[in-house]
Amino acid sequence: MDLEPNNPPEPVERDIVTFGIAIAAIILLVGTAGAVVPKSLAVLFGNGEQPDPLLVNAMLLNIALIIFGWRRHRELTLEIAERRRAEEQARVLATTDPLTHCLNRCSMVDATNAVRAQAAIRGDTVAYCMIDLDNFKQINDMHGHACGDAVLVMLTERLHASLPRESRLARLGGDEFAFVTSYPLGQGERIDDLIIRLFEQIAMPFQLRERTIELTMSVGVASDHDADSGIGMVTDAAELMHRADIALYHAKKEGKNRFFWFENSMENEIRFRNQLETGIRRGLAQGEFVPYYEQQVDLESGTLVGFEMLARWRSPQLGLISPDIFVPIAEEIGLIAELSDQLIEQALSDAREWDDSLTLSINISPIQLRDPWFAQRLLKKLVAANFPPQRLEVEITESCLHENISLVRSIITSLRNQGVKISLDDFGIGYSSLEQLRDLPFDRIKIDRSFVSELREPGRRSNVVEAIIALARGLDLPLTAEGVEDEDILDALKSMGRLKAQGYFYGYPEDAEGVRARLRSAGKLNPLAPVISAQPDENQSMVRVARP
């Protein structure tokens, strides 16, 4: 039965009815026993009259009532003790984490306010530190949740041993912890030293019965006073936690295994990211993502041989945004596959207009290659667009080769069996081995622009580029050089052999209408392709949106 907060149940200590019955029974017993017991004793010794039966029955009833009252009192005592134990257990469960026995998220608010109040009395300030273990999910996935729980318990013990006595430690959930501690105003370096000691403790391997686990962590720190020791805008524990969470996010974004103090610019960055997330979701629904195309040219003859598709976002609010801004966010929020599907479908439709000698190159995210049905879905798109697979080239990065090499090999093989070409993109910046290059059926290697740019100075030769070219020759793999931006780079590459090149030297990436006009003037539009109405050109220049 639900009870209203303002109408709590009466405590069992107040069972006045039972108490009154017991007192009345004792009084009546005294009265009846005074009349019954002497006559009963006289009858027992053979020299008296029988006691009144009504008085005898009344005495027995009083005895029964006294026994009932005593038993009820004992039951009440046990019930009170049990209820107090249950209330204490409920309080513990409501305020502490059952695994690590430190505070939980709910009780951390009150604990933070208590520490702040004590610090204010001493004239100190407080630091709220939020801790998140890096890649902890992999431990649970690889070794099981029992192993992960054991690590969390050991971690809590190390944190308790390293933190000041007046600190309060909480497990907020999963692998996320927080602690609040006070320190003298203007001496934030004390917190820096404390966190560094915590990093040293976490860096020590966690020795379990059957295995050794190594961990790193990221930390975000917020104070309720600003850098010049004035009173900041923090008015409650919730705001302090929010700021520490923003600083933690910044530490994660900057590469993990580090800590940052909260700054106002971080909150602006979070707002900007949320704006981008909302914009990406809206843009997908409204078709704001469009393919742009960068020319690929035969280095020796200067002939146009194809285009690489590049993603652009025509945002009504932010302008034309380059993929290095929105692609990482789309990957994090799980929309990269939907985004890529839209762009590929549009690119295949655009490329149907081109001359049959021109190829289309598309980039594939490592996340997409985790899908075992990726090859089948891509081939289905080719069939739907009536696009020859021999004109399509799929570019994958070296990072894809280290997540699930067997799955990647299966996808590559399925695509090549249907005629699709496979290129290894950004070669040289990852960790591809010669064995992978020999065993995986690549059709082309692309030299990363960071190495090609070294050829900009006249007379300078890049040992890395020359080594890659020699390697490709040995493996009988054609090459594409990215980032050809001036004539000096072009001349240096020409002296190294026959290559395919792309870069701003040949022109900036263009949208479908720009490519259509270029090919029309060169006589390289497919006369049998259906006519596609041109979309209006809004003359938006490509901008790289700077974060606040």
Side-chain angles (χ1 to χ4, degrees), residues 15-269:
D15 195 348
I16 300 176
V17 175
T18 303
F19 180 75
I21 292 174
I23 295 298
I26 293 174
I27 295 174
L28 291 175
L29 178 63
V30 172
T32 55
V36 172
V37 172
K39 289 184 177 182
S40 298
L41 292 176
V43 171
L44 181 64
F45 291 105
N47 57 358
E49 298 179 356
Q50 292 285 345
D52 188 346
L54 290 177
L55 292 178
V56 174
N57 291 334
M59 185 185 71
L60 295 177
L61 178 60
N62 291 332
I63 294 173
L65 289 174
I66 292 173
I67 294 173
F68 166 77
W70 174 78
R71 293 188 59 182
R72 178 59 179 164
H73 171 74
R74 187 180 65 175
E75 290 172 356
L76 286 176
T77 302
L78 295 175
E79 184 178 348
I80 291 170
E82 184 63 27
R83 178 176 293 188
R84 287 174 176 170
R85 283 195 298 268
E87 290 174 351
E88 177 64 20
Q89 184 179 9
R91 186 194 65 80
V92 171
L93 291 176
T95 59
T96 62
D97 173 61
L99 176 65
T100 60
H101 303 297
C102 56
L103 300 176
N104 59 17
R105 180 180 292 271
C106 293
S107 57
M108 188 57 171
V109 175
D110 293 335
T112 301
N113 288 329
V115 173
R116 292 184 70 192
Q118 290 296 322
I121 295 174
R122 299 191 301 268
D124 292 342
T125 184
V126 301
Y128 189 99
C129 303
M130 192 168 288
I131 301 172
D132 188 84
L133 302 181
D134 300 328
N135 305 316
F136 186 76
K137 183 177 182 298
Q138 295 181 3
I139 296 177
N140 285 330
D141 293 342
M142 294 175 59
H143 307 297
H145 288 273
C147 175
D149 289 347
V151 171
L152 293 178
V153 172
M154 295 177 65
L155 170 68
T156 304
E157 294 173 353
R158 294 186 186 183
L159 292 176
H160 272 303
S162 302
L163 293 176
R165 180 173 299 178
E166 70 275 6
S167 302
R168 294 294 181 266
L169 175 66
R171 182 190 178 200
L172 304 182
D175 60 337
E176 193 173 61
F177 291 79
F179 69 87
V180 60
T181 188
S182 61
Y183 66 97
L185 198 62
Q187 298 185 24
E189 65 276 3
R190 292 195 177 188
I191 302 300
D192 295 341
D193 294 339
L194 172 60
I195 295 176
I196 291 173
R197 292 197 299 271
L198 294 180
F199 272 101
E200 294 172 350
Q201 288 294 318
I202 301 303
M204 299 172 58
F206 291 82
Q207 299 288 345
L208 303 181
R209 179 174 300 178
E210 299 178 353
R211 57 184 57 88
T212 300
I213 303 296
E214 295 185 356
L215 282 178
T216 60
M217 68 178 181
S218 301
V219 180
V221 190
S223 174
D224 57 357
H225 288 68
D226 58 24
D228 60 3
S229 300
I231 299 298
M233 297 301 295
V234 178
T235 58
D236 55 24
E239 177 65 16
L240 199 60
M241 295 170 68
H242 174 65
R243 292 188 175 191
D245 196 25
I246 291 176
L248 173 62
Y249 169 80
H250 188 76
K252 288 282 190 180
K253 184 179 66 67
E254 291 298 316
K256 304 178 181 181
N257 194 27
R258 61 199 68 207
F259 75 96
F260 283 93
W261 286 80
F262 170 81
E263 298 176 0
N264 287 328
S265 60
M266 296 178 183
E267 192 162 18
N268 296 333
E269 183 177 355

Side-chain angles (χ1 to χ4, degrees), residues 484-487 490 502-507:
V484 180
E485 298 182 358
D486 54 45
E487 197 165 357
L490 182 65
Q502 63 186 83
Y504 295 160
F505 179 78
Y506 299 105

Side-chain angles (χ1 to χ4, degrees), residues 241-520:
M241 295 170 68
H242 174 65
R243 292 188 175 191
D245 196 25
I246 291 176
L248 173 62
Y249 169 80
H250 188 76
K252 288 282 190 180
K253 184 179 66 67
E254 291 298 316
K256 304 178 181 181
N257 194 27
R258 61 199 68 207
F259 75 96
F260 283 93
W261 286 80
F262 170 81
E263 298 176 0
N264 287 328
S265 60
M266 296 178 183
E267 192 162 18
N268 296 333
E269 183 177 355
I270 291 290
R271 291 195 184 100
F272 179 70
R273 177 191 167 86
N274 291 337
Q275 181 183 2
L276 289 178
E277 285 189 18
T278 303
I280 289 173
R281 298 180 190 277
R282 184 201 63 245
L284 280 172
Q286 298 181 0
E288 296 175 3
F289 293 92
V290 294
Y292 269 53
Y293 303 96
E294 185 175 48
Q295 299 178 66
Q296 295 179 327
V297 177
D298 181 77
L299 201 61
E300 185 177 13
S301 64
T303 303
L304 178 66
V305 295
F307 294 89
E308 178 182 356
M309 183 203 62
L310 304 173
R312 296 291 186 267
W313 177 14
R314 282 178 174 160
S315 170
Q317 291 79 25
L318 302 173
L320 194 63
I321 306 175
S322 57
D324 56 336
I325 299 294
F326 63 84
V327 165
I329 298 177
E331 289 180 337
E332 290 182 22
I333 63 179
L335 294 178
I336 189 62
E338 181 181 351
L339 172 60
S340 181
D341 286 346
Q342 283 191 12
L343 292 170
I344 291 173
E345 290 171 1
Q346 183 59 50
L348 292 176
S349 176
D350 294 340
R352 285 288 293 124
E353 295 185 284
W354 306 345
D355 187 84
D356 290 340
S357 64
L358 300 177
T359 61
L360 171 66
S361 297
I362 60 174
N363 293 280
I364 300 302
S365 166
I367 295 177
Q368 292 176 270
L369 287 181
R370 298 172 187 169
D371 178 10
W373 299 103
F374 172 76
Q376 287 74 11
R377 293 195 298 107
L378 180 58
L379 294 172
K380 185 178 180 180
K381 287 180 172 54
L382 291 174
V383 174
N386 194 25
F387 190 84
Q390 295 77 13
R391 291 179 54 196
L392 181 66
E393 189 170 289
V394 173
E395 299 182 2
I396 65 175
T397 60
E398 289 184 274
S399 60
C400 299
L401 307 181
H402 306 286
E403 295 191 5
N404 191 337
I405 186 65
S406 60
L407 177 59
V408 173
R409 180 184 288 108
S410 173
I411 291 174
I412 292 176
T413 303
S414 298
L415 293 174
R416 290 190 80 251
N417 287 341
Q418 300 301 319
V420 178
K421 303 295 189 294
I422 308 295
S423 294
L424 182 59
D425 195 13
D426 297 336
F427 182 75
I429 64 174
Y431 304 95
S432 295
S433 66
L434 293 177
E435 182 180 2
Q436 289 172 336
L437 289 177
R438 183 188 63 191
D439 292 345
L440 292 174
F442 291 111
D443 297 290
R444 179 174 294 275
I445 295 176
K446 298 190 71 173
I447 309 174
D448 185 69
R449 65 181 65 248
S450 62
F451 302 123
V452 175
S453 63
E454 296 178 0
L455 303 173
R456 179 173 286 110
E457 298 179 13
R460 180 175 179 180
R461 300 180 66 86
S462 171
N463 294 331
V464 175
V465 173
E466 291 179 339
I468 294 175
I469 292 175
L471 174 63
R473 287 173 182 166
L475 297 173
D476 195 24
L477 289 174
L479 282 165
T480 297
E482 299 179 307
V484 180
E485 298 182 358
D486 54 45
E487 197 165 357
D488 292 328
I489 294 178
L490 182 65
D491 293 338
L493 288 172
K494 283 182 177 179
S495 67
M496 296 182 180
R498 185 169 182 175
L499 304 170
K500 190 163 71 171
Q502 63 186 83
Y504 295 160
F505 179 78
Y506 299 105
Y508 287 93
E510 301 171 312
D511 62 7
E513 179 57 25
V515 171
R516 187 178 298 116
R518 176 183 297 278
L519 296 181
R520 184 182 295 113

